[in-house]
């Protein structure tokens, strides 16, 4: 029963991630956007750990390939979508600490851990996009490709991290019951 509930939550939260990405009108010219797409991945990572987070993230990225993707080669969409969003779920390595701080009512500690964990997930996604920019989008660079990729990808990833990190922190400090997982319901 627990596994079925987790699978249903993965499907629901992956869909939410895609919807959150499609709702934001700010899109970068060579791909990328400022959005809450990572928020459902963080929720699943903190509820179910690394496995739930990584699967949810990989699904978010893969589903996004159906909505006007920037595809240049066979490998690039795997790096820019499936892998980039999948690694966001690695923030689940902090799931135990997040749950403990929430259970003990330590709001400042909870916010600190959530911000650090979301920085890890967003930072790993950023690295995937930077590598993709260097390898696959070099022709669009205005100047040296490596610094351009770092700066270009930071223009949407930094605000996305801040947005998702703050919203996740507020969400879990005000509603810590969202972190509880049980086959009988929340």
């Amino acid at each position: 029963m627990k596994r079925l509930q987790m699978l249903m939550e993965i499907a629901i939260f992956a869909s939410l991630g895609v919807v959150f990405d499609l709702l934001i009108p700010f899109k970068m010219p060579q791909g990328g956007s400022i959005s809450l797409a990572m928020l459902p991945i963080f929720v699943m990572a903190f509820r179910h750990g690394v496995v739930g987070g990584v699967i949810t993230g990989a699904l978010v990225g893969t589903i996004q390939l159906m909505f006007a993707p920037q595809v240049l080669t066979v490998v690039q969409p795997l790096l820019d979508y499936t892998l980039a969003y999948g690694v966001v779920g690695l923030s689940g390595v902090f799931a135990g600490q997040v749950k403990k701080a929430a259970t003990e009512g330590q709001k400042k500690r909870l916010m600190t851990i959530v911000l650090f964990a979301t920085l890890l997930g967003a930072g790993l996604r950023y690295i995937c996009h930077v590598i993709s920019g260097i390898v696959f989008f070099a022709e669009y660079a205005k100047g040296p490709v490596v610094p351009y990729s770092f700066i270009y990808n930071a223009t949407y990833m930094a605000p996305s991290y801040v947005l998702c990190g703050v919203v996740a922190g507020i969400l879990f400090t005000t509603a810590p019951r969202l972190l509880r997982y049980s086959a009988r319901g929340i």
Side-chain angles (χ1 to χ4, degrees):
M1 189 63 157
K2 275 186 164 183
R3 185 177 171 143
L4 177 60
Q5 181 178 346
M6 185 175 94
L7 291 173
M8 290 181 350
E9 287 180 16
I10 287 170
I12 291 166
F13 280 86
S15 299
L16 275 174
V18 173
V19 169
F20 286 170
D21 193 52
L22 294 173
L23 288 177
I24 305 295
F26 181 76
K27 302 278 185 197
M28 298 292 287
Q30 280 83 46
S33 64
I34 297 172
S35 76
L36 286 169
M38 294 185 291
L39 183 62
I41 303 167
F42 291 131
V43 171
M44 289 300 291
F46 299 146
R47 281 178 61 85
H48 298 285
V50 170
V51 172
V54 169
I55 293 171
T56 304
L59 269 173
V60 168
T62 303
I63 294 169
Q64 283 182 339
L65 287 169
M66 292 189 272
F67 301 97
Q70 297 255 340
V71 177
L72 303 176
T73 70
V74 175
V75 176
Q76 177 263 329
L78 293 174
L79 179 60
D80 249 348
Y81 293 91
T82 305
L83 183 63
Y85 283 91
V87 297
V88 171
L90 292 175
S91 59
V93 299
F94 292 98
Q97 293 176 29
V98 168
K99 288 176 183 177
K100 183 177 182 206
T103 302
E104 295 174 356
Q106 300 173 332
K107 291 187 177 194
K108 286 183 183 178
R109 181 164 158 55
L110 176 59
M111 181 64 95
T112 302
I113 296 167
V114 167
L115 288 174
F116 186 76
T118 56
L119 178 61
L120 171 70
L124 291 171
R125 178 180 162 208
Y126 170 69
I127 290 168
C128 288
H129 292 312
V130 167
I131 293 168
S132 177
I134 293 167
V135 175
F136 301 108
F137 288 89
E139 66 188 74
Y140 298 105
K142 294 173 177 75
V145 70
V146 173
Y148 182 80
S149 185
F150 274 100
I151 293 167
Y152 176 89
N153 288 293
T155 60
Y156 68 90
M157 281 304 303
S160 289
Y161 156 66
V162 171
L163 182 64
C164 289
V166 169
V167 171
I170 292 169
L171 183 67
F172 295 127
T173 55
T174 58
R177 69 187 172 281
L178 293 174
L179 294 167
R180 286 190 297 248
Y181 171 66
S182 118
R184 287 178 262 156
I186 297 174

